[in-house]
Amino acid sequence: MDAERKAVEPCSIVIFGASGDLTARKLIPALYHLFKEKQLPAAFRVIGFARREKTDDSWRAELRVALDEFSRTKPVDDVAWAAFAQNVVYCMGDLTDPAAYAKLEQLLNSFGDARLRNNLLFYLATSPSQFGDVAEQLHNAKLLHRHGGEGWQRLVVEKPFGHDLASAHALNNELTRFAHERQVFRIDHYLGKETVQNILMFRFSNSIFERLWNRESVDHVQITVSEKMGVGGRGGYYEEAGALRDMLQNHILQVLSLVAMEPPVSLEAESIRDEKVKLLKSIRALKPEDVAKQVVRGQYFAGVVGGQPQTGYRQETKVKPDSNVETYVAAKLYIDNWRWSGVPFYLRTGKCLPLGASEVRIQFRPTPQVLFSAATGGKLDPNALTLRLQPNEGISIRFNGKVPGTSIGVRPVRMHFSYDTEFGAYTPEAYERLLLEAIAGDATLFIRRDEVETAWHIADAIRQGWEGRSLTNREFYAAGTWGPIAAEELLSQNGHVWRDPQPIK
Ligand code: BG6
């Protein structure tokens, strides 16, 4: 998992869907930063493949404008950009046209260094319905060698990977007709986040916490991924996705599996992914009648978020005026294994919530309420550990302390660790790490076939429980609030309450 020490061989990175948003916002800024920090291979090419007519120079000029806007470091370093841009070329072509792939092959053949011709990272930043076609065309053009051959070829595929188990399964079959599973790198950008990677380091390198990480000590776990933004211009996509498919099936289940999995036998990709799959498989299956009790969905109506007026979801562009699509989902899941038996895991995510924050909160069991019940009214706050994934990346511990001057006054106090203070402000973007790992051929931070399918199995069960049911009044929430009232009740049934992310003082 150590990116610094990974050997990266010269290669060409071919981006399909190069005119799209992802390329301008994430991929090119990530590659530029990797280049600037001397992490890219000594020789490389970035080839943009798309239908629109452009020259190398006009594409570079476009990317430069986007970089000024989206770079995580500003201003952009002109010298570094000029040196980087020399390696960036454009290949105009239609994804479905064999002639376009012949043109791509010619372009690759024009590179003097054999490694630039044969080590190929194909980044599919296209609509998922095109993944299969691109793989087939690459195969037909002999650019993707299924059974070895020279160099290496890999496919990096973006989410959404299918929209249910059946479609994900079909997509997996399509891709693996032309590529071996070890050549397929399925992205979940949460795995590229430093703080998400830190979950494993934190859990398995600290004996003071490691021994508490089980049903004996943990009362329950809360995973919150809240967003302030609404769906904005993505209404069309969101109508097909909803919060369950957009966030829970992938990002949240990934975080959950890292938080709850057993220690892997090594840090090898397969060992880690084996444990994640095992964990996902031990999540108790939800029957349709369980969904009503254990899962809450919600949809925002007009409100105010961070002082700004926000329209309701049903009034957003490309959204049906009577849409039942959920912009919020909360679930109570149980993990039926030895470690977690009986411990509720509460997951929630939503758009237009008061704060954009992702965190994992481990709430420990309280001490017996005998000594301090007079002082606390029997409500001694239990200890909690919060992994702040973003923003204010860090970890907080809450414990109880004596209030000075009083005889037995006791109240919660907090200790904060912050990445910035400890390590400086350098936080690479998730895509930097992911691109580097894909170039190095390490699949640890990518989703394996069985993993994506198991996650869909869980999401599908929830969707089936909702089928044919329109949203009720208790499922709507005003933009700028923490979600529907039903989500509070989900926890109160067990005597729990959501702990909302707090700004760090
Ligand atoms: C994406 C979802 O995968 O993740 C978006 O499609 C969401 O709807 C985004 O806003 C959140 O990512 P991050 O990194 O901003 O937490």
Side-chain angles (χ1 to χ4, degrees):
M1 303 254 290
D2 186 348
E4 274 79 41
R5 273 180 273 134
K6 253 176 203 153
V8 282
E9 294 174 7
C11 64
S12 295
I13 302 155
V14 185
I15 304 176
F16 292 93
S19 302
D21 215 35
L22 186 75
T23 308
R25 275 175 183 269
K26 297 288 184 191
L27 303 182
I28 295 294
L31 290 166
Y32 158 79
H33 278 105
L34 289 172
F35 175 78
K36 199 160 162 271
E37 277 139 29
K38 304 197 174 11
Q39 301 213 53
L40 281 186
F44 72 95
R45 293 285 182 279
V46 176
I47 303 168
F49 187 107
R51 218 167 29 191
R52 292 188 205 156
E53 196 167 337
K54 283 174 204 171
T55 62
D56 293 347
D57 281 336
S58 68
W59 193 46
R60 289 173 190 153
E62 255 176 52
L63 295 176
R64 175 55 208 255
V65 173
L67 188 62
D68 284 331
E69 185 176 353
F70 300 118
S71 172
R72 71 172 163 80
T73 57
K74 292 194 179 141
V76 171
D77 177 337
D78 286 324
V79 177
W81 168 257
F84 170 76
Q86 278 176 11
N87 300 288
V88 174
V89 291
Y90 188 73
C91 179
M92 192 183 105
D94 186 322
L95 292 176
T96 58
D97 177 10
Y101 294 80
K103 200 164 125 200
L104 175 63
E105 197 198 3
Q106 266 172 22
L107 176 66
L108 291 167
N109 287 343
S110 71
F111 301 152
D113 185 332
R115 293 167 304 177
L116 295 178
R117 297 196 296 269
N118 298 324
N119 292 340
L120 305 173
L121 189 74
F122 298 112
Y123 200 111
L124 276 53
T126 64
S127 131
S129 60
Q130 295 170 309
F131 291 168
D133 285 346
V134 177
E136 181 165 13
Q137 296 273 7
L138 287 171
H139 169 83
N140 293 345
K142 304 219 169 7
L143 288 168
L144 183 62
H145 305 293
R146 172 80 170 76
H147 296 291
E150 282 178 74
W152 50 257
Q153 297 84 40
R154 299 179 189 129
L155 294 173
V156 181
V157 293
E158 267 296 332
K159 67 166 276 231
F161 196 88
H163 58 270
D164 57 12
L165 174 57
S167 57
H169 186 71
L171 192 50
N172 274 327
N173 284 349
E174 244 185 301
L175 288 177
T176 50
R177 262 176 70 205
F178 306 109
H180 194 280
E181 169 61 23
R182 67 173 176 273
Q183 293 175 288
V184 182
F185 288 65
R186 297 175 194 79
I187 292 252
D188 183 312
H189 80 278
Y190 265 58
L191 295 183
K193 292 182 192 271
E194 280 291 329
T195 45
V196 173
Q197 289 161 35
N198 185 47
I199 295 173
L200 288 194
M201 313 301 159
F202 179 80
R203 283 191 54 197
F204 299 122
S205 67
N206 293 302
S207 64
I208 51 175
F209 300 114
E210 194 272 334
R211 64 195 57 207
L212 301 180
W213 218 261
N214 55 49
R215 66 177 190 287
E216 308 288 349
S217 307
V218 174
D219 182 66
H220 70 275
V221 176
Q222 299 186 8
I223 301 180
T224 298
V225 176
S226 64
E227 295 189 282
K228 265 173 99 168
M229 286 182 325
V231 296
R234 297 167 77 219
Y237 155 77
Y238 208 80
E239 279 284 277
E240 298 296 317
L244 177 68
R245 290 180 168 127
D246 187 45
M247 300 292 286
L248 191 134
Q249 183 273 342
N250 39 71
H251 308 324
I252 296 195
L253 288 182
Q254 283 299 315
V255 172
L256 170 65
S257 60
L258 292 170
V259 167
M261 68 185 237
E262 293 302 308
V265 293
S266 76
L267 289 181
E268 294 298 312
E270 296 322 322
S271 310
I272 293 181
R273 300 197 298 179
D274 285 347
E275 293 306 331
K276 284 166 69 193
V277 173
K278 240 171 70 188
L279 189 280
L280 291 174
K281 286 190 171 156
S282 38
I283 293 176
R284 189 183 302 165
L286 294 177
K287 295 194 251 354
E289 61 271 24
D290 301 328
V291 172
K293 287 184 237 129
Q294 285 180 237
V295 186
V296 169
R297 61 184 171 160
Q299 189 189 85
Y300 62 86
F301 58 87
V304 176
V305 188
Q308 300 297 319
Q310 165 70 47
T311 56
Y313 178 70
R314 289 180 172 179
Q315 289 78 49
E316 301 271 20
T317 322
K318 297 198 183 148
V319 170
K320 287 203 238 54
D322 59 349
S323 172
N324 278 310
V325 167
E326 77 289 352
T327 60
Y328 176 100
V329 59
K332 172 167 70 179
L333 299 181
Y334 287 96
I335 297 171
D336 284 335
N337 68 11
W338 198 260
R339 184 188 291 269
W340 295 118
S341 179
V343 178
F345 281 74
Y346 299 110
L347 321 176
R348 66 173 165 168
T349 183
K351 303 267 186 209
C352 290
L353 302 186
L355 213 64
S358 302
E359 57 181 52
V360 177
R361 184 188 174 92
I362 312 291
Q363 179 98 17
F364 294 99
R365 289 187 187 284
T367 52
Q369 305 276 335
V370 285
L371 295 179
F372 303 110
S373 57
T376 61
K379 288 202 185 102
L380 196 58
D381 234 11
N383 298 159
L385 178 89
T386 303
L387 308 176
R388 295 192 310 277
L389 306 180
Q390 63 188 27
N392 305 318
E393 288 81 355
I395 295 172
S396 303
I397 302 176
R398 203 183 53 166
F399 53 99
N400 292 305
K402 180 179 178 305
V403 179
T406 59
S407 51
I408 51 161
V410 58
R411 74 160 171 82
V413 293
R414 293 179 180 78
M415 258 166 60
H416 298 302
F417 150 71
S418 139
Y419 271 81
D420 274 11
T421 316
E422 188 70 25
F423 297 112
Y426 170 69
T427 314
E429 273 272 329
Y431 276 93
E432 292 172 37
R433 182 64 191 268
L434 294 174
L435 279 161
L436 199 59
E437 297 291 319
I439 294 171
D442 187 332
T444 310
L445 303 181
F446 298 85
I447 315 293
R448 204 167 63 185
R449 176 181 184 142
D450 48 352
E451 209 175 340
V452 75
E453 293 187 5
T454 312
W456 273 123
H457 187 67
I458 297 165
D460 282 1
I462 297 178
R463 183 148 303 279
Q464 276 151 23
W466 290 341
E467 221 143 61
R469 269 207 315 113
S470 301
L471 289 168
T472 61
N473 283 344
R474 294 171 67 254
E475 293 171 314
F476 286 96
Y477 61 100
T481 64
W482 279 106
I485 187 82
E488 302 300 329
E489 292 162 9
L490 182 71
L491 271 70
S492 59
Q493 293 161 6
N494 292 47
H496 296 142
V497 284
W498 288 112
R499 299 293 185 132
D500 302 330
Q502 300 293 324
I504 301 294
K505 289 185 206 94

